[in-house]
Amino acid sequence: GTLAVAGACAARAMYSLYGRPLNEVLREKDAEIQELRVAVLEGEGALSKEQVPEDDILLRYLFSAPGGTSVPDAATSIQRAQVLRQEWASVLDKAAQGELLPQETRIRKHLCMGTWEKDDADDAPL
């Protein structure tokens, strides 16, 4: 079905970057990837070795950093992402288990989609 096609497209995208094989790009950017691997282990917000992402994820952070391939900016983004994962761990765990999130009751209480059925005095929608 549609999900299978979408999954296959995503898998193909993971193996190429701008039409080039991912392994080729990883080899080309290996020095920066290794520099980034070291950078995320140092300084404020340092990760443990177990928390360091795989090379393909490090490459994604490098390419999404301001300026294209800024190791310091990519390292900061990775460290910040880890802090956010820790801050939101309980919510992420609940979502992964399919449990209702803490704010579910509040959202449902204030949900107002579809409640505006009347127009204003000028027959314009509210």
Side-chain angles (χ1 to χ4, degrees):
T2 304
L3 290 177
V5 171
C9 290
R12 275 196 303 275
M14 288 177 56
Y15 295 110
S16 68
L17 179 69
Y18 304 116
R20 296 175 55 206
L22 180 58
N23 286 339
E24 180 182 308
V25 180
L26 286 168
R27 277 191 304 274
E28 179 182 307
K29 296 290 185 183
D30 185 62
E32 289 168 287
I33 291 170
Q34 297 315 315
E35 184 182 346
L36 179 56
R37 182 175 299 285
V38 170
V40 298
L41 295 170
E42 299 173 344
E44 187 178 335
L47 305 183
S48 68
K49 287 185 179 184
E50 296 79 28
Q51 294 173 317
V52 177
E54 297 293 325
D55 286 355
D56 59 333
I57 303 301
L58 293 174
L59 181 67
R60 290 175 65 190
Y61 275 98
L62 278 171
F63 281 130
S64 64
T69 55
S70 167
V71 170
D73 289 342
T76 299
S77 294
I78 291 170
Q79 291 168 336
R80 179 68 182 134
Q82 186 61 34
V83 168
L84 290 172
R85 283 186 204 97
Q86 290 168 348
E87 287 176 7
W88 291 93
S90 65
V91 174
L92 295 172
D93 288 341
K94 285 181 183 234
Q97 296 172 13
E99 294 179 24
L100 294 179
L101 301 179
Q103 64 273 34
E104 180 76 20
T105 304
R106 183 182 214 178
I107 291 169
R108 294 205 179 273
K109 179 181 177 186
H110 298 286
L111 190 63
C112 61
M113 187 174 98
T115 60
W116 301 105
E117 299 173 4
K118 305 213 184 245
D119 294 338
D120 74 358
D122 298 324
D123 291 328
L126 293 177

